[in-house]
Amino acid sequence: SQQGEEDPQALSIQEGENATMNCSYKTSINNLQWYRQNSGRGLVHLILIRSNEREKHSGRLRVTLDTSKKSSSLLITASRAADTASYFCATDGSGGYNKLIFGAGTRLAVHP
Amino acid sequence: DAGVIQSPRHEVTEMGQEVTLRCKPISGHNSLFWYRQTMMRGLELLIYFNNNVPIDDSGMPEDRFSAKMPNASFSTLKIQPSEPRDSAVYFCASSDLGHPRRDQPQHFGDGTRLSIL
């Protein structure tokens, strides 16, 4: 079963608006990662946040982590048409190695 | 630098045929993962190799699936015989895990879109 569940499943916004995607997970984690997937391409790593971190920034991306609620959010500020993609959160499972469990993803459409 | 390279990008074949998917990980990475992505089940881990050794194959669906990593720069995923329900996009990913650390990103290839008729 999937560890991470993204919300919403789909999001449609205009260029320049902010996009917020949420991820909930079930078990304790060491880190949580966000990936982007453009249509017909592989996943691309965006950002990793460790369990002892609460917030992390990378360019127009802001990730928060609330381990007490077992949830994370990804904020993309000032969105662009090029941000149109699916976004996945992934948590490290219990395999004892870097085994990632991916959520179902959020499909983001940014309209010019 | 070259990323993870997968071949072929697309494969269409008839059920019962053998299918071989290929992957070249990023040079220097010692961990390799095979995933399958479908609309119904999302992204599923099939098998994980560390230093060319299969560590976790619990995601391999059944005996029709097999994977090998004969050296650090090449891996194959084979399906024999193939069935229509195997249709999916298959991804290979690699990671730099000197020891199984838990904070390294995975680098994905662009996948093989497999259609079994």
Side-chain angles (χ1 to χ4, degrees), chain A residues 9-66:
Chain A
Q9 291 186 334
L11 183 60
S12 182
I13 60 175
Q14 298 295 127
E15 261 191 333
E17 294 179 341
N18 295 343
T20 299
M21 289 158 270
N22 303 296
C23 169
S24 60
Y25 57 92
K26 298 173 183 174
T27 63
S28 61
I29 60 172
N30 293 291
N31 67 70
L32 184 145
Q33 304 181 32
W34 285 92
Y35 287 78
R36 183 188 74 227
Q37 184 179 30
N38 289 85
S39 179
R41 304 297 299 275
L43 279 72
V44 174
H45 179 259
L46 294 176
I47 196 164
L48 180 152
I49 186 165
R50 295 184 175 83
S51 59
N52 61 353
E53 298 175 313
R54 291 297 167 258
E55 188 171 313
K56 205 162 183 180
H57 297 256
S58 176
R60 293 182 297 111
L61 305 181
R62 172 177 169 254
V63 169
T64 62
L65 179 65
D66 186 335

Side-chain angles (χ1 to χ4, degrees), chain A residues 2 30-31 33 35 37 40-45 48 50 88 92-100 102-103, chain B residues 9 33 35 37 41-43 45 48 55-56 58 91 95 97 100-106 108-110 113:
Chain A
Q2 293 170 340
N30 293 291
N31 67 70
Q33 304 181 32
Y35 287 78
Q37 184 179 30
R41 304 297 299 275
L43 279 72
V44 174
H45 179 259
L48 180 152
R50 295 184 175 83
F88 296 87
D92 60 336
S94 57
Y97 60 91
N98 191 25
K99 177 176 182 175
L100 295 181
F102 287 85
Chain B
R9 288 298 314 278
F33 307 82
Y35 291 90
Q37 186 177 40
R41 300 177 66 87
L43 196 64
L45 176 66
Y48 158 62
I55 302 299
D56 182 356
S58 59
F91 288 101
S95 188
L97 301 177
R101 295 167 55 187
R102 296 187 175 198
D103 59 355
Q104 297 300 304
Q106 294 183 14
F108 284 73
D110 281 335
R113 183 172 296 275

